[in-house]
Amino acid sequence: MADDCFYAVLAGPEERYNEILKFDFDGECVHRYCLPSDIVYINCMTVDKGRLWAFVENKDGEIKLIKARV
């Protein structure tokens, strides 16, 4: 979570585990971060000083740490 927004990964019938969504506090999606298509699961994530950090798992079961500017 940041001061002006929060980040989420949506699961359900149309799972989008390779997308991290940024929402404002009105519930509007303001940005989509698309990760490589082989990402099948995001284990956990956090935002710190303008960077998003996440542990992701790919189709081969490998877990990697990724970071992105947000």
Side-chain angles (χ1 to χ4, degrees):
M1 181 178 301
D3 290 338
D4 61 344
C5 63
F6 63 95
Y7 298 85
V9 176
L10 301 179
E14 295 182 27
E15 294 176 352
R16 296 182 180 150
Y17 285 120
N18 66 323
E19 290 183 354
I20 297 173
L21 306 176
K22 178 180 177 180
F23 289 89
D24 64 19
F25 286 112
D26 291 325
E28 297 294 322
C29 182
V30 295
H31 195 78
R32 291 178 188 267
Y33 298 93
C34 294
L35 304 175
S37 61
D38 68 335
I39 300 299
V40 295
Y41 191 73
I42 297 175
N43 292 309
C44 64
M45 64 181 170
T46 190
V47 177
D48 182 42
K49 297 180 182 174
R51 288 200 167 88
L52 182 137
W53 300 83
F55 283 105
V56 298
E57 185 175 339
N58 65 19
K59 291 178 181 176
D60 297 328
E62 298 172 318
I63 296 176
K64 297 180 179 182
L65 175 65
I66 62 166
K67 68 177 179 176
R69 286 185 173 264
V70 291

